[in-house]
Amino acid sequence: MLILASKSPRRKELLSLITEDFIIKTADVDETLPAKITPWEAVEYLSQIKAEPFKSDEDIVIGADTVVAVDGTILGKPSDRENAFAMLKMLSGKEHSVFTGVTVIKGEKSSTFSVETRVKFFDLSNEEINAYLDTGEPFDKAGGYGIQGKGSLLIEKINGDYFNVVGLPISALNRCLEDFK
């Protein structure tokens, strides 16, 4: 059985591009990051701790985590409207990185990797940011935006894997899964 250790509807939708034959399981894990951790170390660490609770000899488990990083600062999901506004203001007119870490485990075999995509926002006015916040879309997404929705209107360009920004680098994951079959 293939298990996706994530409650993200976006990851569920993306994994279904590879296979429809999987189930979702999630566990409450402590997502507190060690001090001075880099964004790619953070997503790889988080993907591992999300996958580990379901490790077994029979099942292939996929854990994943995504963060947005700008100027060395990791941006998680906004805690409220004010925090979301501050994040989007920080991203305005700048290029930032989106990192997704993925861990695949079956028995004692494990593979962890991360993918980085560079995203550049247009210069955003306060009115544009507030209009986007009014959609309600930013509040459950790393960095306070969703590239697959109305957040796409904020983006000038991307360099890298689009699906990585959505939350799961499916082409890299598909290649990794080949080693587990």
Side-chain angles (χ1 to χ4, degrees):
M1 175 61 64
L2 184 64
I3 297 170
L4 175 61
S6 174
K7 55 187 161 206
S8 164
R10 293 165 296 281
R11 287 195 185 105
K12 177 184 176 186
E13 183 180 333
L14 290 174
L15 185 57
S16 70
L17 296 174
I18 296 173
T19 181
E20 295 285 338
D21 191 19
F22 66 93
I23 61 171
I24 294 174
K25 290 186 177 182
T26 59
D28 288 327
V29 294
D30 180 3
E31 295 189 33
T32 305
L33 294 172
K36 299 187 184 208
I37 193 168
T38 65
W40 57 88
E41 290 169 332
V43 293
E44 289 183 5
Y45 168 77
L46 292 169
S47 72
Q48 289 169 357
I49 66 170
K50 290 178 178 182
E52 280 290 329
F54 306 105
K55 178 179 172 180
S56 77
D57 290 333
E58 296 82 37
D59 301 321
I60 299 172
V61 182
I62 301 167
D65 196 80
T66 302
V67 300
V68 171
V70 61
D71 299 330
T73 302
I74 295 174
L75 305 179
K77 294 176 184 177
S79 55
D80 56 27
R81 185 180 178 100
E82 183 178 305
N83 185 233
F85 184 93
M87 285 183 186
L88 293 169
K89 197 69 173 171
M90 187 184 303
L91 298 174
S92 176
K94 292 184 182 172
E95 189 174 75
H96 62 276
S97 292
V98 178
F99 295 91
T100 299
V102 178
T103 296
V104 180
I105 300 173
K106 181 178 183 183
E108 294 306 309
K109 184 174 183 172
S110 176
S111 178
T112 298
F113 65 91
S114 57
V115 174
E116 176 185 11
T117 303
R118 301 288 295 166
V119 179
K120 184 171 190 301
F121 268 33
F122 287 107
D123 284 317
L124 304 175
S125 67
N126 289 350
E127 293 77 21
E128 287 174 299
I129 293 172
N130 280 314
Y132 180 57
L133 294 175
D134 288 344
T135 69
E137 187 179 274
F139 300 103
D140 70 337
K141 294 169 181 66
Y145 74 94
I147 194 171
Q148 73 281 7
K150 293 193 180 290
S152 62
L153 304 175
L154 311 176
I155 296 167
E156 184 176 338
K157 64 181 176 179
I158 71 168
N159 183 8
D161 184 344
Y162 166 82
F163 294 108
N164 182 57
V165 183
V166 179
L168 195 63
I170 57 171
S171 57
L173 173 58
N174 188 52
R175 290 180 179 272
C176 180
L177 287 171
E178 291 296 321
D179 293 337
F180 284 82
K181 291 182 179 171

